[in-house]
Amino acid sequence: MADQLDMEEVLSGNPYDTDFGKLANGLTYYVKVNDRPRMRAHLVLAVRAGCVLEEEEEEGVAHIIEHLAFSATSSFQKHEIVKFLTRIGLEFGACQNAETTVDGTFYKLIVPIDNTETLSQAISILSEFSSEIRISTEDLDNERNPILQEYRDSKEIEGRMSDALFGILFEDSKYQRSPIGLVQVIETVTPETVKQFYSKWYNFHNIAVIAVGDFPNTETVVDMIKTHFGSKVSSAVNANIPKFLVPTHQMPRFKCFVDSEASKSSVQICFKTPVNESPMTVKDYKNRVVEFMFHVAMRRRFNKVSDKIDRPYFRFRMEAGLFAKPVKVHVLTSECKEDGIILALEAMLTELARVRLHGFSEQEIYLAHKLIVSKLESAYLQRDQMESVHFQEGLIKHFIHDEPVLSIQHEAKLRREFLRDMSASEISDYAKKFHSTVNCVIMSTQPRDGVTVKDLEDAVIKINSREKDKSISSWYEEPIPEEIVTTKPEPGTLVKCSDFHNIGATELILSNGMRVCYKCTDLLNDQVVISGFAYGGLSEVKESDYLSCCLATQIAGKIGILGYKPSVLKDILTGNTAVVGPLIESYTRTFSGSCLPADLETALQLIYQLFLASVIPKDEDIKMVMDMAKHIFSSEENNQYRVFESLVKECTHGKSYFTRPKRVGDLENVDLHKACDFFKDCYTDPSNFTVVIVGNLVPDVAIPLILKYLAGIPIPSSPVMKFNRDELKQLPYAFPTETVREVVCFPMVEESSTVKLSFPLLLKNEEMTEYNRFIALWQNLLSTKLFEVLRFELGEIYDCDVIVNAAASMPSNVGNFCGDLTVEFSCEPEVTQSLVDATLEEIQRLQDEGPLTEELEAALEIDRRESETALQKNGWWHERILASYQSKIYSGDVGASFDAAENRDLTFRNNLTPEVARTALRKLIPYPCKNWYTLVTLMPEDNSVEDSE
């Protein structure tokens, strides 16, 4: 029993099952053996040096040091570290290998460890970061523009909202600042100032090395750490990290944030609670469990409010986190109509007050309890199969925040003891922490002036008065159905069973025509992945019906695609891990989901309900759905980046009903009954569907359930939406026949340019089987080469992407492939055209000369290493089997289709040379590339781009 526990017992400060200690120079090390993923190590250099340590003239220096680390150190010259990472099969990219926060800076590497030399060299790189980052005038000047572009990217509307919130949340505290820093500092800071910060705070007493991986033992890794770090000495004399306070405030703080780029209105309520700096006790841990239960029950209640016909808000989110070391912040966010901010605020305050007055119902606590127990069971099942990143994050928290790292067994034991005796009143009392007085911050966000601070204050006074008068009634709780499937299916039979030994899978042909392929694995104890597909989707509907039908999934989803409204179904499934969701795409209808092995029956019941449940909109459903649709469409119209994306799509795909952006006015032409009828037709005939199930399955258990629920789906009297793969209609797609350049101008708060440079993929569908690997190869190579040119050589961007779009391409073997390859990056407006020219120049150079041998080898090594990790995941097997069924060469034998793909991969690798790659690039996109492309550029309103040939 919980009362038999020693509540004052201090939980162990030593991470469980971890080799943990300190070197003579003060460095802390953590080494833990974990075999997921196999032959990989997650390495972290964690430094207690974040932006909170910066003085005014240093704001942004902690982040600048993070950038300089990958530029050069004592032993590695210009970007040699990046080349090392790609050579051993790791991708390098923005935010991928390092992160600066308020309280720390973290350098992260995931390295293959099939030879000890690679691991040793990776640890040596971390040791260079700890004390030997090169900080020269040249290095600093080369990084200023990329950091400035990262600054511009971070100051888009979401970033400005965060800055505004943090400014009032942490007012009069150093925690209100952002790690990205100030423009003036980024532009002018001297190497001496950066060196001063580096030498002062990168003291080994403030640094930890964390290594979690598939090591044969910890001793060898500890010896490597000692070899690379042991002889190093900190230059700082005194490097104790000072404590920074977050002042309390007895009255709530209010802010009305108005930003012309805000595409939707919202209101946030934040509650700051102090963090206990003493070592965590059993009582402290129990309080965390109470807090978690409160959050679960509160989220459910808020979401119930958002499901009402006269809803005060559309979406709700509740989260908590250590945004600053001294305090935990609980944030409640409601997204609402522009004129609905006060209603949304009052609704959230009312529910908190309702809990303080009346508490949670027994049913609410029961459901929260079920959810936590199911999470405990899942964690316990996978206790020996956790990904290394899970343990890595726990050890970072131990070092930065002194969080205890308990074993899953110990946590499970404590939680079970607490949950056994936890009362509804104990959880309800937690709401007293969330009163709109002490340490409360309320902020509204809107695109134009409307709500005032006085309005926010009045809303708080109004609800506080109602709470004081006890005029808020108790919560009404609707009864929850006990079962998902009320009418039990008549089980079907097995018509044919085929084993495909090459992929370890079994295929079942069911009596209703459905094809099911399952593969049993031991990759994760707690996972089963399920999906199904059938040919025929949006391409088969009339143009006049397209808008209604393309919204069918969202419309039906709000009404209840599985026979129940979403909120009711969520209650039924509380504590159950089964999830299934449908999606209607251009040429296919699909459903996908996952579950614990113990919940497989529930997952199959959900699929059964998908085919059997009626979706008939009632008047109240129509109002609710249309309100939500208007909100979404309006948000899209007001989001300048969404508008830009739509214009890019129209430019590269052609202006048609398929690509035209949806607008609020279009909703007049949406027929909800037609949308629901189309949705129902999509999921009526089981004979059209192939289902793939992969995970921890027991055939003797799974097959009877498959026969009961999947084979039990009745066949319609006549075929519904039965389509042949090679006879589907082509959606309208038309890449321009000549070069097109468009400039889109919008007023911007933080001026930046975004470039989308697209090339048509010049292939026929019948060639895609052969050229798929070349598309993936060149997507990788172009990303790497353009990043090198635009970031490292020219020093003008923070990141760039190469994206392949094939949404309009048919799955058949006939006709032309419909797709494009797009290069995307953001930059300072004044350099836009020069970077576009450099991009075209580099792509054409690669078409003329091909890649270097070492660049090909690096790309193949990245691919090989990713494949090694992917093979250890159920998701990879699931996707590859599904792809084998959807392959253009599939003709009834999934094993043969799978082998053909494997053989193509092997042939591709064995025959790949720079000349072969060069020839492929010339065939994939126009040659020379400068002669045919589309260029759409987003610019600030008072800027323009001059065309240049």
Side-chain angles (χ1 to χ4, degrees):
M1 303 291 286
D3 56 7
Q4 295 175 331
L5 293 171
D6 180 359
M7 303 303 284
E8 301 306 318
E9 177 191 348
V10 175
L11 297 173
S12 174
N14 295 330
Y16 82 100
D17 200 22
T18 300
D19 204 334
F20 163 66
K22 282 195 174 188
L23 302 186
N25 60 11
L27 179 90
T28 302
Y29 65 82
Y30 304 84
V31 182
K32 177 173 174 56
V33 175
N34 185 67
D35 63 359
R36 299 299 172 109
R38 298 185 185 95
M39 299 309 295
R40 291 292 183 278
H42 284 65
L43 307 178
V44 182
L45 185 80
V47 188
R48 294 191 191 110
C51 67
V52 74
L53 296 176
E54 298 164 347
E55 302 302 331
E56 285 188 19
E57 70 277 7
E58 297 175 325
E59 286 197 47
V61 167
H63 178 247
I64 288 171
I65 291 170
E66 174 212 311
H67 271 250
L68 292 173
F70 290 94
S71 177
T73 65
S74 295
S75 303
F76 295 90
Q77 297 308 304
K78 191 174 182 181
H79 302 118
E80 285 181 356
I81 289 174
V82 177
K83 293 176 182 176
F84 163 75
L85 295 177
T86 55
R87 191 168 63 249
I88 64 172
L90 304 180
E91 288 188 276
F92 177 82
C95 302
Q96 191 165 313
N97 303 102
E99 175 188 17
T100 303
T101 67
V102 178
D103 288 310
T105 304
F106 309 98
Y107 303 89
K108 302 179 181 182
L109 304 176
I110 305 173
V111 298
I113 54 173
D114 37 12
N115 71 73
T116 56
E117 182 56 34
T118 300
L119 178 60
S120 178
Q121 192 167 1
I123 293 174
S124 79
I125 288 173
L126 295 184
S127 76
E128 297 269 321
F129 291 166
S130 71
S131 59
E132 297 175 55
I133 295 174
R134 195 176 75 191
I135 305 171
S136 69
T137 299
E138 180 186 0
D139 293 321
L140 192 52
D141 288 345
N142 287 340
E143 285 299 320
R144 291 189 201 273
N145 282 342
I147 296 172
L148 284 169
Q149 186 54 48
E150 184 180 359
Y151 175 91
R152 287 188 285 267
D153 291 344
S154 73
K155 299 305 177 182
E156 292 180 356
I157 177 61
E158 295 296 333
R160 296 197 298 274
M161 285 172 59
S162 294
D163 286 347
L165 181 61
F166 274 50
I168 186 172
L169 197 60
F170 299 117
E171 189 175 314
D172 299 324
S173 164
K174 290 186 76 173
Y175 279 106
Q176 69 181 144
R177 61 181 46 168
S178 167
I180 195 68
L182 301 176
V183 168
Q184 183 180 358
V185 174
I186 298 169
E187 289 180 334
T188 63
V189 70
T190 65
E192 290 69 32
T193 300
V194 178
K195 287 177 183 176
Q196 180 181 337
F197 184 93
Y198 183 57
S199 61
K200 181 178 182 179
W201 299 115
Y202 275 61
N203 181 289
F204 286 109
H205 292 280
N206 297 332
I207 299 176
V209 176
I210 299 168
V212 183
D214 189 17
F215 312 124
N217 57 70
T218 60
E219 291 81 6
T220 302
V221 184
V222 172
D223 287 343
M224 287 182 187
I225 292 172
K226 290 177 178 177
T227 297
H228 293 296
F229 284 89
S231 62
K232 295 181 180 295
V233 179
S234 297
S235 59
V237 176
N238 182 4
N240 293 327
I241 304 294
K243 291 182 179 179
F244 298 97
L245 301 178
V246 176
T248 60
H249 45 97
Q250 299 304 307
M251 297 299 292
R253 291 175 180 167
F254 300 94
K255 184 175 183 64
C256 294
F257 177 66
V258 179
D259 194 298
S260 60
E261 292 179 25
S263 62
K264 50 199 172 190
S265 298
S266 64
V267 60
Q268 292 176 294
I269 312 175
C270 303
F271 301 95
K272 293 176 284 187
T273 57
V275 172
N276 186 0
E277 295 185 19
S278 304
M280 182 180 284
T281 64
V282 172
K283 182 180 179 181
D284 294 329
Y285 190 84
K286 179 183 179 182
N287 290 337
R288 284 195 177 186
V289 177
V290 173
E291 177 191 293
F292 186 57
M293 287 279 281
F294 172 81
H295 273 259
V296 169
M298 205 73 239
R299 280 193 197 101
R300 175 181 176 271
R301 185 176 286 197
F302 281 128
N303 288 328
K304 288 280 186 183
V305 173
S306 71
D307 274 346
K308 293 182 177 179
I309 298 171
D310 54 347
R311 63 177 73 180
Y313 49 79
F314 292 106
R315 292 192 181 96
F316 170 81
R317 188 170 70 253
M318 183 178 187
E319 55 195 337
L322 281 173
F323 299 147
K325 201 170 184 179
V327 295
K328 176 178 275 191
V329 183
H330 306 259
V331 185
L332 285 64
T333 304
S334 287
E335 188 180 308
C336 52
K337 294 179 181 178
E338 191 171 341
D339 61 355
I341 287 175
I342 298 304
L343 282 177
L345 174 60
E346 289 179 352
M348 290 192 288
L349 293 173
T350 297
E351 292 315 317
L352 289 168
R354 199 188 308 275
V355 173
R356 286 192 291 269
L357 286 172
H358 305 288
F360 289 114
S361 69
E362 290 297 330
Q363 178 168 292
E364 288 176 298
I365 299 304
Y366 168 73
L367 291 172
H369 184 278
K370 277 185 69 177
L371 181 66
I372 291 179
V373 169
S374 72
K375 288 183 179 294
L376 275 176
E377 290 173 351
S378 177
Y380 190 79
L381 279 173
Q382 60 175 318
R383 63 192 180 280
D384 298 323
Q385 297 177 313
M386 288 283 196
E387 290 278 346
S388 290
V389 67
H390 169 84
F391 296 110
Q392 165 195 294
E393 293 303 320
L395 294 172
I396 288 174
K397 289 179 182 178
H398 182 273
F399 180 68
I400 301 294
H401 297 293
D402 300 318
E403 292 249 354
V405 181
L406 308 179
S407 70
I408 290 172
Q409 292 92 325
H410 190 186
E411 285 201 77
K413 178 183 176 182
L414 287 175
R415 289 194 182 191
R416 287 192 185 101
E417 291 289 339
F418 299 147
L419 291 171
R420 188 175 294 126
D421 296 333
M422 198 172 289
S423 65
S425 61
E426 193 171 6
I427 297 163
S428 302
D429 282 347
Y430 202 85
K432 294 175 182 177
K433 293 179 180 286
F434 294 160
H435 206 288
S436 54
T437 52
V438 178
N439 293 331
C440 175
V441 168
I442 297 174
M443 185 178 92
S444 64
T445 298
Q446 50 199 330
R448 56 189 65 83
D449 287 329
V451 169
T452 66
V453 167
K454 177 71 163 50
D455 295 330
L456 300 177
E457 290 175 341
D458 288 346
V460 171
I461 293 170
K462 174 182 175 181
I463 304 306
N464 285 348
S465 176
R466 290 189 62 201
E467 181 178 1
K468 185 177 179 180
D469 295 343
K470 297 185 178 180
S471 60
I472 298 173
S473 61
S474 60
W475 178 257
Y476 171 70
E477 191 68 43
E478 294 180 353
I480 300 171
E482 295 183 2
E483 295 183 278
I484 296 171
V485 178
T486 54
T487 304
K488 298 302 179 184
E490 186 69 33
T493 58
L494 181 60
V495 175
K496 183 181 179 181
C497 178
S498 306
D499 290 322
F500 297 97
H501 299 290
N502 61 321
I503 54 176
T506 300
E507 182 184 83
L508 312 175
I509 306 297
L510 308 182
S511 52
N512 58 5
M514 182 178 279
R515 186 187 307 267
V516 178
C517 181
Y518 70 85
K519 177 178 173 65
C520 305
T521 75
D522 59 359
L523 299 174
L524 277 178
N525 292 334
D526 70 330
Q527 187 181 61
V528 176
V529 186
I530 307 172
S531 69
F533 80 95
Y535 288 114
L538 293 171
S539 68
E540 304 304 316
V541 304
K542 295 185 298 185
E543 180 177 345
S544 58
D545 296 338
Y546 182 80
L547 183 61
S548 298
C549 292
C550 76
L551 296 174
T553 303
Q554 294 93 315
I555 291 170
K558 286 295 176 185
I559 295 170
I561 55 177
L562 302 175
Y564 304 94
K565 287 190 177 295
S567 59
V568 175
L569 182 65
K570 194 169 185 178
D571 284 346
I572 300 173
L573 294 176
T574 298
N576 193 299
T577 61
V579 177
V580 171
L583 180 63
I584 303 172
E585 298 181 290
S586 299
Y587 302 102
T588 58
R589 299 153 277 153
T590 66
F591 58 81
S592 58
S594 63
C595 63
L596 280 170
D599 296 328
L600 177 62
E601 180 170 10
T602 304
L604 297 179
Q605 286 178 335
L606 292 176
I607 297 171
Y608 176 82
Q609 286 291 103
L610 176 61
F611 282 81
L612 269 291
S614 298
V615 186
I616 303 172
K618 300 175 183 176
D619 290 344
E620 60 266 28
D621 294 326
I622 292 173
K623 182 181 184 306
M624 181 180 67
V625 169
M626 294 306 285
D627 278 350
M628 173 61 86
K630 285 176 184 176
H631 171 70
I632 294 171
F633 282 24
S634 177
S635 297
E636 296 282 321
E637 285 184 45
N638 294 330
N639 186 322
Q640 62 187 35
Y641 296 99
R642 294 290 189 189
V643 173
F644 171 61
E645 293 280 351
S646 296
L647 292 171
V648 172
K649 191 175 181 181
E650 282 191 309
C651 184
T652 56
H653 292 189
K655 295 183 178 180
S656 71
Y657 69 90
F658 168 60
T659 57
R660 192 174 68 82
K662 303 174 185 68
R663 305 192 181 283
V664 172
D666 295 332
L667 290 172
E668 296 178 2
N669 300 318
V670 172
D671 185 331
L672 265 66
H673 290 277
K674 186 168 290 183
C676 291
D677 288 345
F678 174 68
F679 180 87
K680 193 62 211 148
D681 285 347
C682 286
Y683 298 97
T684 291
D685 193 339
S687 67
N688 298 333
F689 281 80
T690 296
V691 180
V692 177
I693 308 175
V694 175
N696 185 10
L697 299 166
V698 178
D700 287 348
V701 174
I703 291 175
L705 294 175
I706 289 170
L707 293 177
K708 181 176 182 180
Y709 294 106
L710 299 189
I713 299 170
I715 308 171
S717 56
S718 59
V720 179
M721 290 193 71
K722 199 170 191 70
F723 298 102
N724 184 292
R725 178 189 65 188
D726 292 333
E727 296 175 355
L728 297 172
K729 296 177 184 176
Q730 170 74 60
L731 277 168
Y733 173 97
F735 196 95
T737 56
E738 57 185 10
T739 294
V740 175
R741 289 169 173 254
E742 296 281 353
V743 177
V744 183
C745 294
F746 285 119
M748 295 183 186
V749 176
E750 190 64 45
E751 294 192 348
S752 182
S753 168
T754 300
V755 170
K756 296 258 192 179
L757 177 63
S758 303
F759 306 91
L761 285 166
L762 305 175
L763 295 169
K764 294 187 178 299
N765 276 328
E766 61 190 22
E767 297 174 306
M768 284 304 298
T769 299
E770 177 185 356
Y771 278 91
N772 257 329
R773 294 293 275 115
F774 283 108
I775 293 174
L777 171 76
W778 274 111
Q779 189 176 4
N780 182 310
L781 282 175
L782 288 174
S783 295
T784 302
K785 292 302 295 179
L786 294 175
F787 190 81
E788 288 178 3
V789 171
L790 304 180
R791 168 76 182 270
F792 295 152
E793 292 180 18
L794 300 178
E796 294 290 355
I797 69 161
Y798 174 57
D799 195 15
C800 73
D801 286 319
V802 176
I803 302 158
V804 173
N805 177 16
S809 186
M810 296 173 64
S812 68
N813 263 320
V814 297
N816 292 325
F817 180 77
C818 298
D820 55 82
L821 182 146
T822 297
V823 178
E824 177 182 358
F825 58 84
S826 297
C827 62
E828 190 178 7
E830 286 73 16
V831 300
T832 301
Q833 190 56 57
S834 64
L835 296 190
V836 169
D837 292 341
T839 300
L840 288 167
E841 195 67 39
E842 180 62 16
I843 296 174
Q844 186 157 325
R845 185 192 69 77
L846 289 166
Q847 286 184 312
D848 290 336
E849 303 172 12
L852 299 175
T853 300
E854 54 264 35
E855 291 169 343
L856 272 186
E857 289 174 349
L860 288 176
E861 184 66 8
I862 290 172
D863 184 70
R864 183 173 77 86
R865 293 302 186 179
E866 288 177 348
S867 294
E868 285 178 352
T869 303
L871 277 165
Q872 303 169 44
K873 297 181 179 180
N874 288 320
W876 183 89
W877 285 101
H878 177 266
E879 289 300 320
R880 288 303 290 264
I881 294 173
L882 195 64
S884 297
Y885 276 109
Q886 295 175 338
S887 167
K888 295 180 188 298
I889 67 167
Y890 173 72
S891 59
D893 188 328
V894 70
S897 180
F898 187 96
D899 277 348
E902 295 292 296
N903 291 333
R904 283 195 305 275
D905 284 354
L906 183 61
T907 301
F908 168 81
R909 286 177 165 276
N910 291 341
N911 297 338
L912 187 62
T913 65
E915 175 59 26
V916 169
R918 180 178 71 94
T919 302
L921 183 58
R922 289 183 175 191
K923 182 174 178 61
L924 292 175
I925 62 176
Y927 176 68
C929 67
K930 293 181 181 180
N931 290 355
W932 187 10
Y933 57 84
T934 63
L935 172 63
V936 188
T937 310
L938 175 63
M939 297 289 283
E941 197 163 55
D942 57 349
N943 281 270
S944 62
V945 176
E946 294 182 3
D947 286 357
S948 67
E949 294 302 318

